[in-house]
Amino acid sequence: MSLEAIFDHAFVPLADAVATGRIPGGVLGIVDASGQRITRATGLAQRIPIERKMTETTWFDLASLTKVLFTTPRILALAGQGAIDLDAPITSAIPDFAQQNLESWQRKVTFRQCLGHQTAFPGIFPLYTYGSDPNLLRHFVLQRDWSAGPAVYSDINFILLGIAIERLAGRPMRQIDPGSGFAWSADPEGAAATEDDPWRGRMLVGEVHDENCAALAGAGHAGLFGQIASVLDFAHGALNGTTVSPAAAALMRAPLSARRTHGWERPHEGWSGGGYCTPETIGHTGFTGTGLWIDFARGRAWTLLTNRVHPTRHFDSGIFALRRAVGDRVNQG
């Protein structure tokens, strides 16, 4: 089946989700290792309080795709340069981490463990409710006596990796180049709206949706904005070795657990990429309704960008089933 036919087949679930009102709009894109790509938009970039059409140049709050499009590549690049050792404690870049208790389990946490979510930090924690000063909140993260729990997917892992990047760069996150085609905010007239946020008291358009990232004024777990072209550019570069080094690409694919690699997810039962991915596929999703999957065996990647939290997250958008349906159609082609 041609790439065009695969794309048309995969676009149907997205078009249906928009037509039935489960999500306002979205953009689907596919690229192969040769650089051939197809993109298509449908629905609305904003529904409330005004209506704006979704286009292929709409900017999206990529949410947790920040972890794999920005933070993971930077950490792997630093490791490749010898600036950090992935198996060294993160205190090698943040020496004041948990400085009140030098025997704390937190001081033993490594870069690699953070990348693979193999630490004991809590899965969810509302940092933004503990203050409004970004510097204060960074040190709250660093000096809090975190209770150890089971290893789960935790934003704290990537907040710490982001702080390490800031320390090594000598400047705050939003003063660090986010990468070609990416930004830390977007023009509201060209961005997909996210949520009518009760904390900030306004509809969020072009500013970060994640409350903790907003309170930290930039962080390693969220905050990146991009268009479908920039996401596909990254994926194509990963496939042909121009976005990341061969060593970094190998780590992106190297299993750290049944579900995770360095920064990325790998195929497992019920995962977001669907049931027909090859074992050489990696992927990640973002809370706002975004996702990227890269199949190194097939030499193909696809991204689904939606504004499924607009105007509220408190609605069953069907995003989990939609992602799997799109992935299955991409890979059954």
Side-chain angles (χ1 to χ4, degrees):
M1 188 182 292
S2 69
L3 193 65
E4 291 85 355
I6 291 171
F7 182 89
D8 288 342
H9 188 51
F11 191 78
V12 171
L14 173 58
D16 287 347
V18 172
T20 55
R22 293 196 301 277
I23 60 173
V27 189
L28 178 66
I30 297 181
V31 66
D32 65 20
S34 73
Q36 182 184 6
R37 69 174 65 188
I38 306 171
T39 60
R40 188 181 302 161
T42 184
L44 298 174
Q46 185 166 356
R47 180 184 287 162
I48 298 172
I50 61 171
E51 287 194 356
R52 289 186 295 110
K53 185 178 179 181
M54 186 73 76
T55 73
E56 293 170 41
T57 59
T58 297
W59 285 80
F60 285 85
D61 178 341
L62 297 170
S64 281
L65 286 188
T66 305
K67 293 180 174 77
V68 293
L69 296 177
F70 174 80
T71 306
T72 296
R74 299 302 172 99
I75 291 293
L76 296 183
L78 288 165
Q81 296 160 9
I84 61 170
D85 176 350
L86 292 180
D87 291 312
I90 203 165
T91 52
S92 59
I94 316 173
D96 52 314
F97 184 31
Q99 64 186 0
Q100 307 301 328
N101 180 3
L102 298 183
E103 301 304 316
S104 167
W105 66 267
Q106 298 163 71
R107 291 185 61 84
K108 300 177 178 65
V109 168
T110 68
F111 292 95
R112 197 185 307 272
Q113 288 171 331
C114 287
L115 286 170
H117 296 282
Q118 296 176 308
T119 71
F121 295 109
I124 299 173
F125 192 87
L127 287 172
Y128 70 101
T129 66
Y130 283 74
S132 58
D133 182 295
N135 187 53
L136 173 66
L137 291 177
R138 273 169 176 71
H139 287 276
F140 177 87
V141 172
L142 295 179
Q143 304 310 331
R144 181 178 174 83
D145 185 14
W146 296 100
S147 297
V152 294
Y153 177 85
S154 172
D155 283 348
I156 300 296
N157 291 313
F158 275 76
I159 289 172
L160 288 171
L161 292 173
I163 293 173
I165 290 170
E166 290 180 324
R167 293 289 183 89
L168 292 167
R171 54 189 184 275
M173 186 64 65
R174 289 181 181 171
Q175 292 180 20
I176 297 174
D177 180 3
S180 178
F182 297 106
W184 297 121
S185 62
D187 183 345
E189 293 185 2
T194 54
E195 195 165 20
D196 188 0
D197 179 23
W199 175 52
R200 281 166 278 191
R202 58 182 177 272
M203 183 69 71
L204 303 179
V205 190
E207 62 177 309
V208 63
H209 175 262
D210 184 275
E211 294 95 342
N212 286 343
C213 181
L216 288 163
H221 71 292
L224 196 67
F225 282 75
Q227 299 168 302
I228 198 160
S230 50
V231 177
L232 289 178
D233 285 346
F234 178 93
H236 179 229
L239 288 170
N240 68 15
T242 58
T243 300
V244 294
S245 70
L251 288 172
M252 287 161 52
R253 297 155 65 182
L256 289 177
S257 68
R259 294 192 173 199
R260 302 202 177 275
T261 71
H262 293 75
W264 295 77
E265 281 193 307
R266 55 194 295 252
H268 56 268
E269 184 68 28
W271 95 304
S272 61
Y276 299 94
C277 296
T278 74
E280 290 297 304
T281 307
I282 58 174
H284 210 285
T285 61
F287 186 79
T288 52
T290 59
L292 171 64
W293 301 265
I294 307 172
D295 187 334
F296 288 91
R298 290 191 174 105
R300 187 167 63 203
W302 69 102
T303 181
L304 174 64
L305 306 179
T306 79
N307 53 352
R308 69 101 185 174
V309 297
H310 179 62
T312 177
R313 74 184 75 183
H314 305 294
F315 172 76
D316 184 8
S317 66
I319 189 66
F320 302 104
L322 173 59
R323 287 167 173 153
R324 287 181 54 81
V326 169
D328 284 345
R329 286 178 176 238
V330 167
N331 292 306
Q332 284 176 306

